[in-house]
Amino acid sequence: MANETLQGARPAIHEPSCRSFQDIVELVGRRWTSAILLAGRRGARRFGEYRGSVPGISDRLLAQRLKELEAEGLITRTVIPSTPVQIRYALSPDGEELMRILQPLVDWGYRRGGPHEDRSAGTV
């Protein structure tokens, strides 16, 4: 009975707000995704620039993640009709907003220290 009262007072994890939180954490936490967003925030525009900014990622996985981020509305893809055709990527306004929102999380991580601490990285 106490369990029922507790559940009635707080939303269950399947509530829309909790599901939304879980979805975005999983998206951002997907391997390479945050590094790709960071590369875009730091000025990568062409596929090769992203590849150079995200060491260790394969071309296939980078292309897949860029498509996923475009489908999520976090990256825009522009085709420039030239010879050869050029493809440019950029953070969308939602992608820029997400990176601003993530900055306090980065700051929190720096305050905690840890094995991946690199204070030269600065901001996202």
Side-chain angles (χ1 to χ4, degrees), residues 10-24:
R10 294 185 183 154
I13 61 170
H14 65 278
E15 296 283 327
S17 62
C18 294
R19 185 73 247 158
S20 177
F21 171 78
Q22 185 66 32
D23 289 346
I24 195 64

Side-chain angles (χ1 to χ4, degrees), residues 8-120:
R10 294 185 183 154
I13 61 170
H14 65 278
E15 296 283 327
S17 62
C18 294
R19 185 73 247 158
S20 177
F21 171 78
Q22 185 66 32
D23 289 346
I24 195 64
V25 168
E26 288 176 7
L27 172 67
V28 173
R30 193 171 294 142
R31 185 168 177 142
W32 305 112
T33 298
S34 57
I36 292 167
L37 291 169
L38 181 57
R41 180 101 191 256
R42 292 184 174 173
R45 296 295 173 256
R46 310 272 316 262
F47 189 89
E49 293 170 344
Y50 278 93
R51 187 178 49 226
S53 296
V54 184
I57 193 168
S58 69
D59 287 355
R60 181 191 64 76
L61 195 51
L62 176 57
Q64 179 182 338
R65 289 293 185 261
L66 286 168
K67 285 180 187 175
E68 291 169 359
L69 291 169
E70 181 185 8
E72 290 288 339
L74 299 175
I75 284 187
T76 60
R77 180 180 183 265
T78 305
V79 178
I80 300 167
S82 59
T83 306
V85 171
Q86 294 183 40
I87 309 291
R88 302 238 180 217
Y89 300 93
L91 289 183
S92 68
D94 281 348
E96 289 285 353
E97 181 182 18
L98 175 60
M99 295 304 286
R100 283 191 304 276
I101 290 168
L102 288 175
Q103 186 61 52
L105 183 61
V106 172
D107 297 342
W108 178 77
Y110 284 151
R111 286 191 306 273
R112 290 190 70 230
H116 300 296
E117 185 176 9
D118 178 6
R119 300 208 185 268
S120 66

